[in-house]
Amino acid sequence: MKIPFSYSLRNLWTRRLTTFLTISGMALVVFVFAAILMLAEGLQKTLVDTGSYDNAVVIRKAAGSEVQSGVERLQASIVETEPEVAIGPNGKPLLAKELIVLITLPKRGTNKPSNVVIRGISESSMMLRPQIKLVAGRIPRPGSYEIVAGQSIAKRFKGGGVGETLRFAMRDWIVVGIFDAGNTGFSSEIWGDIDQLMQAFRRPVYSSIIFRLGDSSEFEIVKSRIENDPRLTLEAMRETRYYEKQSEMMAKFLRILGVSLTVIFSLGAVIGAMITMYAAVANRTGEIGALRALGFQKGNILTSFLIESLLLGFIGGSIGLFFASFLQMLTVSTMNFQTFSELAFTFSLTFKIIYEAMAFSLIMGLVGGVLPAVKAARMNIVEALRAI
Amino acid sequence: MYSLKIIFRNACRHKLRTFLTILGIIIAILAFGLLRTVISAWYAGVDASSASRLVTRNSISLVFPLPVSYQEKIRQVKGVKTVSYGNWFGGIYIDEKNFFANYAVEPKTYLKLYPELVISSDQKTAFLRDRKAAIAGRKLAERYGWKIGDVITLKGTIFPGNWDFVIRGIYKGRDQSVDETAFIFHWEYLNETLKKTVPRRADQVGFYMIGLTSPNLAADVAVKIDETFKNSLAETLTETEKAFQLSFISMTEAIVIAIQLVSFVIIIIIMAVVANTMAMTARERISEYAVFKTLGFGGFHISGLIFGESLLITMIGTVLGIVLTFPAAKVFSKELSAYFPVFNVAAETIYLDIVMSFLIALMSAIFPTWRAIKIRIADGLGRIG
């Protein structure tokens, strides 16, 4: 014979204030827990989506990122002739030599300067990144001082919108288009014609080369050929791997922060749940005695109290997740420590996170409720009945 | 006196509950203190920089260099005392995980500009004399067990190749706020090598550090320097060292704000826990409060009892939390020295801890107090079962 579920539910309702306080504490914990997971997930998404698996990035050995890399023109031409490079519809190799420089631009509203990536692109650059779509205006004409800006640049930086001009490298550049790169790092970049930009910045060398593999499985072959060629001082990576490496430090930082905060916060919430449940047991000593006298078993009492604390966890978790889901509207922009460039990403909620956060809040409820429930179950009937 | 005794006795009535609450407060205050310390560690570079030094860099962004020939022109500007220059080297020691700041600088002027780097005179002479020499901060040397005379190899990321250095000195910080994890070597060494390997990149520096005759001249001198190089191929941007450091932090503002928010969230959570404890306490003693009222004690007295108990519990937790913050910060400082070279618990953090604990105590006691004062004597007594 089980104690009805409604008994647990009504008990929570009886002491509304206490229940409310406990639940709000738990909801906050779950909110923070979910927020951190969502942030890490959003960062991961941004970086993994930025690269595509069939593309290879070639940079100078040990440079670590495109910004610090330099590829001499001669070396770039050698890479261009590798047989593994795919051929595009126009009969030319699907390979782009690109220039990446950082410039400082003021943000809209605050006027605070922040670093922005400027990418000089060749004609295949767009084709190599199918995830990028033009949403306004047009692509810059080759050989002109025209640029396209990523969506988050257009939104957040002065002079980034269509028809506006940006001044850098002693020239004015007209923004002729906005591209949408979804959730990728490209959204925080400005693209323009590579030859014009190299002239303007007086950079005689490319920063990186990116090409599509004709056959994705041949990557290892071309990688070892490029890295072992005595004429080249370059290394090749799959684009996905390259972007993952770019944010290792950031991801690690978020991980450390997330784990330590979660541990601390959950301790606080578990203590809160424990206090509540102990009080519930102490207040209902007489009831417990009566229930036992009616013939309910120890196990039934234990379950009923556990259900009560699990309910606390469940309601808290639901409320926390409900509020956390609104975070998806926010975009976080920060500087990536490794590349010194602006990086914008969103909170993203996945089923896995919902399920983890829920499990986490139920575990908190369980841990908080176990000791009090055991205490309730082990009460001596006669003693307990005296309390009435 | 008598009231204090009652408060103390009341707090001890429910030993387990009081203990759990205090434990919760300790954890919260500890976490709050550490998060605040992370934020102050974030700003450590700003605090350590002086307002009487200027930094000049390329106006486009930090990745663009300036010609080394600017040094003489800058020196001619009125109000400039010393000019030093350098490059962010960005070398990797063995593995990318071992991150520390390493700069190639003009050593003589650099050490003159930064008196807070304390180094013994014989080590200084040895460092200046040898072009391949380097000095490392005390914490850095301890981290990798470097001794004077050791040969260290850094793998260049910005400047390709493997670079060998001989440790000729280990500097200490003049006070706590100085970063003791930096690695400094001769710009000349870098430049000579570049002349051989990549001549187009030689004779260029990343930034100039400028010492002034008087800090009041900072704004004028900065404007003058920038005017000097206006419309040249490498326009400059000059600001005080403080502003320069702040510009880095403002780029990572989002993280700082998030940590700040989280540190307050934890206080709110613990508020809920303490408020919960106090609500229960008051609920259990409603009949006692009614007795108090019957005896003629006023609402003031009763609220004093509840506030007092709340304050007592919070204060015990806070004091223990503050005491534990220091050893915890030491552990963190060791673990995270790659991220935060300077990790000290600031006095402000402690003050904030105390303010927060008062806030917790007050907020938690309000609702139960209001209930206790509102209760009508007959109702309260009626509760005695």
Side-chain angles (χ1 to χ4, degrees):
Chain A
M1 181 67 198
K2 284 223 327 262
I3 298 176
F5 178 70
S6 61
Y7 174 75
S8 304
L9 205 58
R10 286 184 16 218
N11 274 322
L12 288 179
W13 188 242
T14 319
R15 276 179 302 277
R16 282 184 284 272
L17 174 65
T18 291
T19 303
F20 166 76
L21 286 170
T22 314
I23 284 178
S24 51
M26 282 188 152
L28 268 176
V29 175
V30 173
F31 176 81
V32 172
F33 177 76
I36 291 170
L37 284 184
M38 283 161 74
L39 203 58
E41 179 70 26
L43 179 70
Q44 197 62 23
K45 248 207 180 106
T46 296
L47 292 154
V48 172
D49 292 355
T50 304
S52 57
Y53 187 72
D54 299 341
N55 285 355
V57 176
V58 180
I59 53 174
R60 199 194 62 224
K61 260 196 188 100
S65 72
E66 291 173 306
V67 174
Q68 295 172 344
S69 154
V71 180
E72 305 281 340
R73 286 172 190 262
L74 175 66
Q75 299 195 6
S77 311
I78 295 171
V79 174
E80 204 167 7
T81 59
E82 298 287 350
E84 286 81 5
V85 178
I87 302 295
N90 57 0
K92 288 185 183 164
L94 266 177
L95 173 141
K97 303 161 186 169
E98 296 184 341
L99 167 83
I100 287 87
V101 290
L102 285 179
I103 63 160
T104 323
L105 288 178
K107 285 193 176 178
R108 280 187 205 275
T110 58
N111 233 345
K112 274 196 178 132
S114 191
N115 288 336
V116 174
V117 172
I118 301 252
R119 187 181 291 269
I121 55 168
S122 323
E123 68 188 305
S124 315
S125 288
M126 281 284 193
M127 250 185 282
L128 284 165
R129 300 182 178 92
Q131 67 271 49
I132 289 179
K133 292 174 192 59
L134 213 59
V135 286
R138 54 181 175 83
I139 294 176
R141 285 189 304 254
S144 66
Y145 292 163
E146 293 173 350
I147 49 178
V148 276
Q151 234 167 349
S152 65
I153 297 281
K155 252 207 307 269
R156 290 181 302 108
F157 285 89
K158 264 207 173 121
V162 173
E164 295 184 273
T165 54
L166 284 169
R167 182 164 179 85
F168 54 84
M170 297 169 71
R171 284 172 213 188
D172 288 306
W173 304 75
I174 290 198
V175 181
V176 294
I178 306 282
F179 62 84
D180 174 20
N183 253 340
T184 67
F186 297 125
S187 292
S188 319
E189 292 186 2
I190 294 174
W191 291 12
D193 178 51
I194 184 159
D195 296 317
Q196 290 305 319
L197 285 165
M198 279 169 92
Q199 282 292 335
F201 286 117
R202 294 179 181 72
R203 277 282 172 104
V205 295
Y206 302 115
S207 299
S208 65
I209 305 167
I210 165 167
F211 63 86
R212 173 79 44 84
L213 289 151
D215 175 355
S216 188
S217 59
E218 285 178 339
F219 172 71
E220 288 306 326
I221 304 172
V222 72
K223 176 183 168 81
S224 68
R225 190 170 322 115
I226 288 175
E227 292 181 3
N228 296 328
D229 191 325
R231 295 167 298 174
L232 305 178
T233 50
L234 307 172
E235 59 178 329
M237 260 178 278
R238 280 194 193 270
E239 206 183 9
T240 40
R241 174 83 196 107
Y242 170 78
Y243 283 107
E244 233 171 87
K245 271 180 85 163
Q246 290 298 294
S247 70
E248 264 168 0
M249 208 158 161
M250 195 75 163
K252 190 179 161 194
F253 180 78
L254 277 180
R255 229 186 359 257
I256 293 175
L257 195 72
V259 168
S260 44
L261 284 180
T262 306
V263 168
I264 293 166
F265 277 34
S266 54
L267 277 175
V270 164
I271 286 172
M274 235 180 198
I275 291 172
T276 306
M277 291 314 294
Y278 265 120
V281 174
N283 280 325
R284 299 212 298 265
T285 310
E287 278 176 44
I288 295 167
L291 286 170
R292 293 291 313 277
L294 288 172
F296 285 106
Q297 298 296 321
K298 277 184 182 180
N300 300 343
I301 307 271
L302 184 80
T303 334
S304 138
F305 273 93
L306 273 184
I307 284 177
E308 203 169 310
S309 66
L310 283 174
L311 267 174
L312 282 177
F314 177 76
I315 300 170
S318 311
I319 295 173
L321 270 176
F322 172 75
F323 284 109
S325 65
F326 287 103
L327 287 174
Q328 291 179 96
M329 301 174 189
L330 287 181
T331 305
V332 179
S333 82
T334 180
M335 185 177 74
N336 186 347
F337 309 132
Q338 265 166 297
T339 56
F340 286 119
S341 56
E342 180 83 8
L343 182 72
F345 50 98
T346 51
F347 289 90
S348 76
L349 189 62
T350 60
F351 270 109
K352 190 164 164 271
I353 292 176
I354 292 179
Y355 152 91
E356 278 174 358
M358 248 11 243
F360 175 68
S361 61
L362 287 176
I363 288 171
M364 280 198 305
L366 188 72
V367 174
V370 151
L371 289 176
V374 169
K375 185 182 167 189
R378 291 178 54 185
M379 267 183 195
N380 178 314
I381 301 179
V382 182
E383 297 273 312
L385 280 170
R386 284 219 178 100
I388 297 179
Chain B
M1 195 56 237
Y2 191 66
S3 298
L4 282 182
K5 200 167 174 180
I6 290 187
I7 288 173
F8 196 76
R9 281 282 174 85
N10 270 343
C12 293
R13 259 208 231 183
H14 248 282
K15 286 197 183 55
L16 179 69
R17 183 160 70 208
T18 307
F19 166 75
L20 284 175
T21 312
I22 289 177
L23 190 67
I25 295 166
I26 292 175
I27 292 168
I29 290 290
L30 190 61
F32 182 77
L34 285 176
L35 287 171
R36 287 273 134 199
T37 310
V38 166
I39 295 172
S40 55
W42 215 280
Y43 284 96
V46 180
D47 296 337
S49 53
S50 96
S52 65
R53 283 194 294 254
L54 296 176
V55 176
T56 297
R57 54 180 158 132
N58 191 307
S59 70
I60 303 174
S61 78
L62 256 179
V63 296
F64 289 89
L66 296 167
V68 72
S69 56
Y70 280 14
Q71 189 198 1
E72 289 310 314
K73 285 189 177 162
I74 294 175
R75 212 207 311 258
Q76 287 159 14
V77 174
K78 212 175 154 178
V80 172
K81 199 161 93 187
T82 346
V83 182
S84 183
Y85 50 86
N87 262 333
W88 169 263
F89 184 67
I92 294 171
Y93 178 59
I94 302 175
D95 186 356
E96 276 178 43
K97 281 201 291 287
N98 306 325
F99 175 84
F100 53 85
N102 39 66
Y103 309 94
V105 299
E106 202 296 301
K108 230 192 213 109
T109 45
Y110 188 84
L111 288 176
K112 201 186 294 178
L113 265 181
Y114 288 84
E116 56 260 53
L117 307 183
V118 179
I119 181 164
S120 70
S121 59
D122 52 337
Q123 284 185 4
K124 186 172 163 179
T125 331
F127 167 59
L128 293 178
R129 202 173 288 154
D130 178 1
R131 198 175 277 181
K132 272 191 149 182
I135 51 172
R138 182 186 58 87
K139 277 188 190 165
L140 186 68
E142 276 170 20
R143 196 192 305 166
Y144 301 115
W146 294 343
K147 309 252 175 321
I148 304 277
D150 282 4
V151 176
I152 305 296
T153 306
L154 295 185
K155 194 168 79 183
T157 54
I158 303 167
F159 305 98
N162 286 332
W163 305 70
D164 292 336
F165 305 99
V166 186
I167 303 277
R168 290 286 179 213
I170 289 170
Y171 75 84
K172 288 189 185 61
R174 193 176 50 191
D175 50 54
Q176 271 209 320
S177 65
V178 179
D179 175 2
E180 291 181 326
T181 64
F183 182 92
I184 297 158
F185 62 92
H186 288 243
W187 182 83
E188 234 3 84
Y189 173 36
L190 171 73
N191 202 40
E192 290 301 318
T193 317
L194 284 179
K195 274 183 184 163
K196 283 190 279 241
T197 52
V198 205
R200 67 183 166 79
R201 294 180 66 185
D203 290 333
Q204 312 223 327
V205 304
F207 48 82
Y208 286 95
M209 279 86 63
I210 296 146
L212 301 167
T213 47
S214 127
N216 312 333
L217 297 171
D220 299 342
V221 173
V223 170
K224 271 222 188 68
I225 291 173
D226 289 346
E227 268 172 11
T228 312
F229 304 110
K230 196 121 196 87
N231 288 327
S232 69
L233 290 183
E235 293 187 337
T236 60
L237 171 66
T238 307
E239 50 196 355
T240 62
E241 199 183 19
K242 253 198 170 46
F244 175 74
Q245 294 277 10
L246 260 174
S247 69
F248 274 99
I249 289 167
S250 72
M251 289 179 196
T252 53
E253 218 172 14
I255 300 178
V256 178
I257 291 172
I259 294 178
Q260 261 168 336
L261 278 178
V262 164
S263 70
F264 288 117
V265 166
I266 195 154
I267 294 293
I268 297 172
I269 291 175
I270 205 64
M271 241 179 225
V273 171
V274 180
N276 196 359
T277 300
M278 290 320 294
M280 286 176 194
T281 306
R283 207 175 22 238
E284 287 163 11
R285 301 187 197 148
I286 280 288
S287 54
E288 293 172 27
Y289 297 141
V291 172
F292 268 123
K293 280 193 172 175
T294 317
L295 293 173
F297 285 104
F300 176 74
H301 190 86
I302 294 170
S303 55
L305 281 183
I306 302 177
F307 271 111
E309 188 176 340
S310 167
L311 204 57
L312 178 76
I313 292 176
T314 326
M315 280 302 145
I316 294 174
T318 307
V319 169
L320 289 173
I322 290 175
V323 169
L324 285 175
T325 304
F326 290 93
K330 265 219 158 45
V331 173
F332 260 73
S333 166
K334 257 211 156 52
E335 292 295 313
L336 296 177
S337 69
Y339 286 92
F340 304 114
V342 179
F343 197 83
N344 305 322
V345 182
E348 284 125 48
T349 304
I350 304 297
Y351 299 145
L352 256 177
D353 274 342
I354 293 166
V355 169
M356 284 296 153
S357 66
F358 268 102
L359 203 67
I360 294 170
L362 292 182
M363 291 299 294
S364 318
I366 283 176
F367 196 69
T369 308
W370 175 68
R371 251 187 172 170
I373 292 173
K374 212 186 55 167
I375 192 92
R376 300 223 312 279
I377 294 180
D379 291 346
L381 289 173
R383 283 203 184 197
I384 298 180

